[in-house]
Amino acid sequence: MPFNIQKIRNDFPILSRKVNGYPLVYLDNAATSQKPQQVIDCIVDYYSNYNANIHRGVHTLSQEATDAYEVARHKIQTHFNAKEAYEIIFTAGTTHGINLVANGFSEILEKGDEIIVSAMEHHSNIVPWQMLCEKTGAILKVIPMNEEGSLVIEEYEKLLSNKVKLVFVNHISNALGTINPIAEIIEKAHKVGAAALIDGAQSCSHIKPDLQKLDVDFYVTSAHKMCGPTGVGILYMKEKWGNRLPPYQGGGEMIAEVTFEKTTYAGLPHKFEAGTPNICGGIAFGAAIDYLNAIGFEAIEKHENELLKYATEQLLEIEGLKIYGTGPDKTSVVSFNIEGIHPYDIGTIVDKLGIAVRTGHHCAQPIMDFYKIPGTVRASFAFYNTLEEVDALVNAVKKAKMMLS
Ligand SMILES: *Cc1c(COP(=O)(O)O)cnc(C)c1O
């Protein structure tokens, strides 16, 4: 299918609305993506035609819902190239998946064990590990980053020893757009016997990962960053970890047998899926993956790289504008500030012109501390954005600068 931007934009009803009298220019895709009609239709179809609880019912609706939910799990398995469908665990999202793993490791880690995270993690990748360290006496170590916003791999190598049990990094930083060399990071973790967990929340809309090839132990992501609904995501875990980690929550669905003396747990993935899940969300996640694959990740990447290149060039024409995250390997996120102007003020003025950007620390305060800034303005582009929208952003930022300086 040729990449037809107008046809793609027509799939997203929200893109034709106006904000403050101007056509919406949605550049907050790193926070959440918009949803195509195909995904919206899937949600309406579920609630209109076959809403029922899954796995337990013998009636037709329950079987239809169960089938659709499990078909979605298979789609996700195929997309991420997991070996088995039961290695895909439905979660409420990335944060939930990380907490599930952290909780499991609270029974595995011992005092003095080490966990490595990177300097450019989202708060949801820092706080659960800090809580885990408090509980177990394990020690958190951090891979530093350099001025251009890339991880310093030589420093990572120095941190590695047989005390390290878990290495955790995001594939792409949501605040900077840096693409981290995860294959290398995973391989080095395995050399010292540590497990590797990758946060794909920011990368999954840009890059299709091959989990078996990466040989990663755990991988988490959220559907809402890749055109699916909020409140649903996946945790991939290798079968051996699935068998080793204890369940996170007790309840229905996760048991094999319950008596008051003893409960035995269900096998994968149900062991980690207590309670009625977000059934519709899981099914719609499958629809979102179908949608993205129909466009094709190669075409998506090519278009987004054009947007990134053009936006970077145009923004840098503005005097006093500095971009954070200038590494060689990056995706379509541009985080910037203008000398002497607070990012919040820029965000507020461009919103008056219909442009949605994010301002603040982007849930990554350590990065802001590194650069000694309160935050940035972040424009993050998706495949449905256009070069004309980049122009609108640049003009609006120029206008904001004029008004504020
Ligand atoms: C969005 C994001 C998260 C958190 O995802 P939730 O859906 O809020 O759980 C974690 N890490 C990165 C890199 C993100 O971009």
Side-chain angles (χ1 to χ4, degrees), residues 122-138:
H122 190 280
H123 292 163
S124 70
N125 314 349
I126 302 173
V127 184
W129 308 117
Q130 287 173 329
M131 289 162 64
L132 176 61
C133 286
E134 251 169 58
K135 226 194 268 181
T136 58

Side-chain angles (χ1 to χ4, degrees), residues 30 93-96 122 124-125 170 172 174 199 201-202 222 224-225:
T94 301
T95 306
H96 177 203
H122 190 280
S124 70
N125 314 349
N170 56 33
I172 293 182
N174 65 305
D199 169 2
Q202 201 53 238
S222 300
H224 72 92
K225 300 237 172 124

Side-chain angles (χ1 to χ4, degrees), residues 226-244:
M226 51 191 309
C227 297
T230 53
V232 64
I234 53 132
L235 160 64
Y236 158 83
M237 60 167 109
K238 272 189 191 163
E239 185 172 1
K240 68 165 185 186
W241 288 109
N243 294 330
R244 193 164 167 209

Side-chain angles (χ1 to χ4, degrees), residues 228-364:
T230 53
V232 64
I234 53 132
L235 160 64
Y236 158 83
M237 60 167 109
K238 272 189 191 163
E239 185 172 1
K240 68 165 185 186
W241 288 109
N243 294 330
R244 193 164 167 209
L245 258 50
Y248 181 40
Q249 291 175 321
E253 195 86 9
M254 54 76 72
I255 47 87
E257 204 178 347
V258 177
T259 66
F260 280 108
E261 287 69 44
K262 184 169 168 57
T263 290
T264 49
Y265 303 130
L268 292 173
H270 306 296
K271 175 181 168 185
F272 296 104
E273 294 183 344
T276 299
N278 184 349
I279 302 165
C280 179
I283 296 169
F285 190 1
I289 281 183
D290 284 344
Y291 180 80
L292 290 174
N293 280 317
I295 296 171
F297 276 77
E298 247 172 70
I300 288 174
E301 198 181 334
K302 183 161 170 283
H303 181 68
E304 288 174 345
N305 281 341
E306 266 170 48
L307 294 171
L308 173 67
K309 186 160 170 283
Y310 186 60
T312 305
E313 284 165 7
Q314 294 300 306
L315 284 168
L316 285 176
E317 300 263 306
I318 300 172
E319 216 189 291
L321 186 142
K322 179 174 172 176
I323 292 178
Y324 301 88
T326 52
D329 231 0
K330 84 176 266 199
T331 187
S332 49
V333 171
V334 186
S335 230
F336 64 91
N337 273 329
I338 297 178
E339 212 181 333
I341 303 177
H342 198 281
Y344 178 83
D345 294 334
I346 297 174
T348 308
I349 290 179
V350 303
D351 176 62
K352 295 272 182 296
L353 301 166
I355 298 170
V357 291
R358 180 57 65 110
T359 64
H361 55 57
H362 318 300
C363 294

